Amino acid sequence: MSSPLPEDLPRPEHPRPQFVRADWLNLNGTWEFEIDRADSGLERGLRERELSGTITVPFCPESELSGIADTDFMEAVWYRRRFTVPAEWGSSRVLLHFQAVDHDTTVWVNGTEVARHRGGFTPFTADLGGVAEPGEEAVVVVRARDSRHGPQARGKQATWYANTHCHYTRTTGIWQTVWLEAVPHAARLKRPRLTPDLGSGSLHVELPVTANLPGHRVRAVLGEEGTELVRAEARADLDLCPRLALVLPPERVRPWSPADPHLYELRLQLLDAEGEVVDDVVSYAGLRSVALRGKQVLLNGEPVFQRLVLDQGYYPDGLMTAPTEDALVRDIELGLEAGFNGARLHQKVFEERYLYHADRLGYLVWGEFGDWGCETGQRDDNQQPDASYPAQWLEALERDHSHPAIIGWCPLNETYQRLHDRITRLDDVTRAMFLATKAADPTRPVIDASGYAHRITETDVYDAHCYEQDPEVFGKLMDGLAEDTPYVNTGPEQTTWSLPYRGQPYFCSEFGGIWWDPAAAAEAAGDESDTSWGYGERPRTEGEFVARFTGLVDVLLDDPHMFGYCYTQLTDVFQERNGVYRFDRSEKVDTRALRAAQQRAAAFERP
């Protein structure tokens, strides 16, 4: 079993709730730390010596919770930690997991390089076989490079010193849990892919293994509340990725939905030739379907209007890292309390623990990549994403495929570039990310880029972002969908950014963003020169805010061809004061009024 954890250990929960083994060790807490402003640390011997300071992992050095709170630029940072691999793990192989490190990472253990990874949002693993065995001491050294120069997937992190407009304090280095795991030596299960098939009442399980040993088998057992419902087995000595189908008895088919977020228990095992269990993993799964029919996106064959809110996943004290697991849960609860039934997880690959709670609470989410950071300023060829974009996105798709709460994918957001007669790097990368998504997951709709530059003719979903604040004008902008002439984002002087709309399901995936800061409004008494911002003229009263919110929402709820919307945004983030809650998650407006505005039946949902 996992070793006892200190009571004050930050973020002590298992970071990967859909693939849990019994033997693991959380390495969060105090690490040695040193900032390497000019990225000269390797030459200066930082890999070999003790570091000058300490930090609390998994919080980034820019955050208050790290104990550092340094918001200046850091070309590189270094970490060092000494620990003993649990002796009770016996003959197991040891894996060292990093859930997320921003941005380019090198890891050494006992002087040996064990991992390199590019990307700030996705996990990677170092195999410590032959480097640090059970009972042995290990010294792990981590260098994370995070330059502000050149194209890099940063999400909302500012490349200039201060927070400005919709760019926020940077995250450098380790910002999610670091942990050890004991796994079998000879062969083990790799991360499974769980795909619901509601049409046949079954769950398809792909169970890749690290090696095909004679006589080995894989087994999957699906259950509810400790009661086994169905099991399946297959040989694991022939195929590198054995596949199983768990067909439920018809009376036990219970579709996952916001109204009933039912999750089945799942146990995955690898057995040797004698039938002994050599690898044992606990997981869970939901059974639901997503389908497209004309302009409709259907959940379990039914039109469920997507009342989404934009969630950026920032916290005042932890930045991109939630201070506690309860904070992750609370964000979902806040969305539900305000009348939303889901979220666009915006410009960030959220923690797996967040997705687990979305699964558990029935919260619909769109998975998105933090692609901002490739702007060059070059006219008509200003977006320069590189090959690392699809590589990092594929890692996110592999990590998150099995979460039932995810009902769509959004690889890119607000890419903007004139559509002309040359194929550009943006065209290449947009197509690469779209095709990679469809190949990795044919079961969910994919939007090529949210808002702005739709450059894939066959994109499953089409959308636009519109921050018009007058509900009457907003309604006129949105009223062309029935005639297949919806609102489409264009550049300055009506420059064309996108290929034409072709009748796909359509939604307004960013709107509202009402600038509402009650304290600033009271202090300014009409003077809008303070540093906060949002969209449109700031309401003078809460009643004016609610009236504008209701009017904008009404436009979209009343359109029978609109399958959903996404309101900007859940919380204020630093200077961006357009959330329905404050940055500290306290109530800013009567959420009962927001809920009432959203809970009436949408035209899309009517028979």
Side-chain angles (χ1 to χ4, degrees):
M1 300 296 291
S2 60
S3 301
L5 302 176
E7 291 184 2
D8 60 348
L9 186 75
R11 299 302 306 272
E13 61 280 350
H14 195 292
R16 196 182 61 191
Q18 243 184 348
F19 194 55
V20 179
R21 292 186 175 94
D23 292 335
W24 71 286
L25 178 65
N26 191 313
L27 294 180
N28 291 344
T30 302
W31 288 54
E32 294 176 29
F33 179 76
E34 190 165 328
I35 297 171
D36 185 5
R37 298 279 185 201
D39 191 13
S40 59
L42 189 63
E43 293 86 347
R44 294 186 291 110
L46 267 61
R47 187 180 64 182
E48 289 79 25
R49 67 164 171 81
E50 293 184 356
L51 304 179
S52 60
T54 61
I55 190 171
T56 301
V57 169
F59 303 108
C60 72
E62 291 90 346
S63 72
E64 295 175 8
L65 290 175
S66 71
I68 305 293
D70 186 329
T71 59
D72 207 346
F73 296 106
M74 308 175 200
E75 283 291 308
V77 292
W78 290 76
Y79 299 79
R80 183 182 178 92
R81 169 78 184 264
R82 186 183 301 270
F83 58 88
T84 299
V85 180
E88 60 267 28
W89 288 357
S91 61
S92 296
R93 201 172 190 91
V94 180
L95 303 181
L96 172 61
H97 299 286
F98 294 85
Q99 288 301 109
V101 185
D102 201 343
H103 183 267
D104 290 357
T105 310
T106 308
V107 181
W108 298 268
V109 175
N110 292 341
T112 299
E113 183 179 322
V114 294
R116 292 188 185 191
H117 182 261
R118 168 162 288 177
F121 298 106
T122 47
F124 62 96
T125 298
D127 188 331
L128 301 189
V131 176
E133 303 291 345
E136 296 179 355
E137 187 175 72
V139 177
V140 57
V141 176
V142 178
R143 179 190 61 197
R145 289 169 159 150
D146 192 21
S147 177
R148 61 172 160 151
H149 305 291
Q152 179 176 302
R154 297 184 177 88
K156 290 298 191 77
Q157 301 178 62
T159 53
W160 47 90
Y161 176 73
N163 289 325
T164 306
H165 199 62
C166 58
H167 293 84
Y168 318 126
T169 303
R170 292 162 293 284
T171 289
T172 299
I174 297 170
W175 68 278
Q176 288 186 36
T177 293
V178 184
W179 55 294
L180 287 179
E181 183 181 35
V183 299
H185 239 292
R188 66 179 182 275
L189 299 172
K190 297 172 71 175
R191 182 121 191 194
R193 181 173 301 191
L194 312 176
T195 304
D197 184 353
L198 187 59
S200 66
S202 62
L203 179 72
H204 297 283
V205 182
E206 297 174 57
L207 270 176
V209 293
T210 59
N212 302 110
L213 301 184
H216 274 47
R217 299 180 66 81
V218 290
R219 173 192 293 159
V221 181
L222 200 66
E224 289 178 320
E225 298 180 350
T227 299
E228 179 179 323
L229 299 179
V230 61
R231 68 169 54 198
E233 291 190 15
R235 291 177 64 174
D237 55 358
L238 294 175
D239 299 300
L240 197 55
C241 184
R243 292 171 173 83
L244 302 171
L246 294 165
V247 182
L248 283 158
E251 68 275 9
R252 305 308 289 262
V253 172
R254 186 173 165 186
W256 182 98
S257 72
D260 182 20
H262 180 68
L263 298 175
Y264 294 95
E265 300 155 358
L266 181 62
R267 193 169 208 104
L268 306 170
Q269 296 176 324
L270 179 65
L271 297 86
D272 64 18
E274 286 71 44
E276 296 296 321
V277 175
V278 295
D279 198 7
D280 194 7
V281 177
V282 173
S283 185
Y284 67 86
L287 194 63
R288 61 102 185 91
S289 69
V290 181
L292 307 179
R293 182 184 300 158
K295 291 187 175 74
Q296 295 182 316
V297 177
L298 305 177
L299 182 68
N300 302 329
E302 301 294 332
V304 176
F305 192 80
Q306 297 180 27
R307 298 165 173 84
L308 308 179
V309 67
L310 198 76
D311 189 347
Q312 310 213 56
Y314 272 77
Y315 302 85
D317 49 2
L319 300 179
M320 286 204 300
T321 311
T324 64
E325 182 170 32
D326 288 344
L328 295 175
V329 178
R330 185 58 181 152
D331 280 359
I332 297 172
E333 292 174 341
L334 290 173
L336 292 169
E337 288 170 12
F340 300 100
N341 61 5
R344 267 188 70 201
L345 307 184
H346 190 49
Q347 281 302 290
K348 173 185 168 184
V349 178
F350 277 49
E351 299 179 45
E352 288 191 67
R353 295 297 305 191
Y354 178 98
L355 296 176
Y356 160 66
H357 293 297
D359 293 339
R360 184 177 60 83
L361 296 171
Y363 201 56
L364 306 173
V365 298
W366 282 73
E368 184 174 311
F369 185 54
D371 67 290
W372 281 17
C374 63
E375 167 63 41
T376 66
Q378 182 176 342
R379 181 179 178 181
D380 294 338
D381 199 13
N382 50 291
Q383 304 272 287
Q384 293 284 330
D386 60 23
S388 72
Y389 275 56
Q392 294 173 55
W393 179 236
L394 279 167
E395 290 181 340
L397 293 169
E398 179 183 13
R399 194 197 79 172
D400 295 341
H401 173 93
S402 302
H403 289 283
I406 297 178
I407 56 167
W409 297 115
C410 177
L412 299 167
N413 173 74
E414 288 189 350
T415 48
Y416 59 98
Q417 185 170 286
R418 184 172 70 88
L419 191 68
H420 46 65
D421 66 351
R422 291 183 298 107
I423 296 174
T424 67
R425 180 179 295 184
L426 177 61
D427 293 307
D428 288 336
V429 171
T430 302
R431 175 155 289 280
M433 295 184 79
F434 178 80
L435 292 178
T437 311
K438 296 301 292 184
D441 183 9
T443 70
R444 293 180 174 94
V446 181
I447 186 167
D448 57 346
S450 182
Y452 295 15
H454 292 291
R455 306 175 92 85
I456 305 297
T457 303
E458 65 271 30
T459 183
D460 293 324
V461 171
Y462 206 100
D463 73 344
H465 299 172
C466 182
Y467 286 104
E468 170 59 49
Q469 296 293 296
D470 184 325
E472 183 176 353
V473 177
F474 183 65
K476 292 177 180 177
L477 291 173
M478 290 288 135
D479 70 359
L481 186 54
E483 288 75 39
D484 286 347
T485 57
Y487 178 77
V488 177
N489 292 115
T490 55
E493 301 177 354
Q494 300 302 302
T495 301
T496 299
W497 280 341
S498 297
L499 294 169
Y501 173 71
R502 296 170 63 89
Q504 300 99 324
Y506 177 99
F507 73 134
C508 185
S509 59
E510 286 188 31
F511 78 106
I514 302 169
W515 183 12
W516 177 234
D517 186 345
E523 293 171 5
D527 176 11
E528 298 176 353
S529 61
D530 63 272
T531 58
S532 73
W533 78 277
Y535 291 96
E537 181 180 351
R538 182 166 48 202
R540 289 162 293 186
T541 66
E542 181 175 324
E544 187 178 323
F545 172 92
V546 172
R548 190 188 303 179
F549 177 93
T550 302
L552 295 172
V553 165
D554 281 347
V555 168
L556 304 176
L557 286 173
D558 289 338
D559 189 335
H561 303 285
M562 187 84 60
F563 75 83
Y565 58 63
C566 181
Y567 181 84
T568 302
Q569 61 181 325
L570 182 64
T571 73
D572 295 341
V573 184
F574 293 108
Q575 68 280 352
E576 190 173 353
R577 307 289 173 80
N578 53 13
V580 297
Y581 296 95
R582 293 185 176 89
F583 198 15
D584 65 4
R585 276 58 176 176
S586 61
E587 188 171 88
K588 188 166 73 166
V589 63
D590 186 353
T591 52
R592 293 172 298 181
L594 304 184
R595 184 177 181 83
Q598 297 193 82
Q599 288 306 294
R600 67 181 182 85
F604 173 79
E605 296 172 308
R606 294 172 190 151

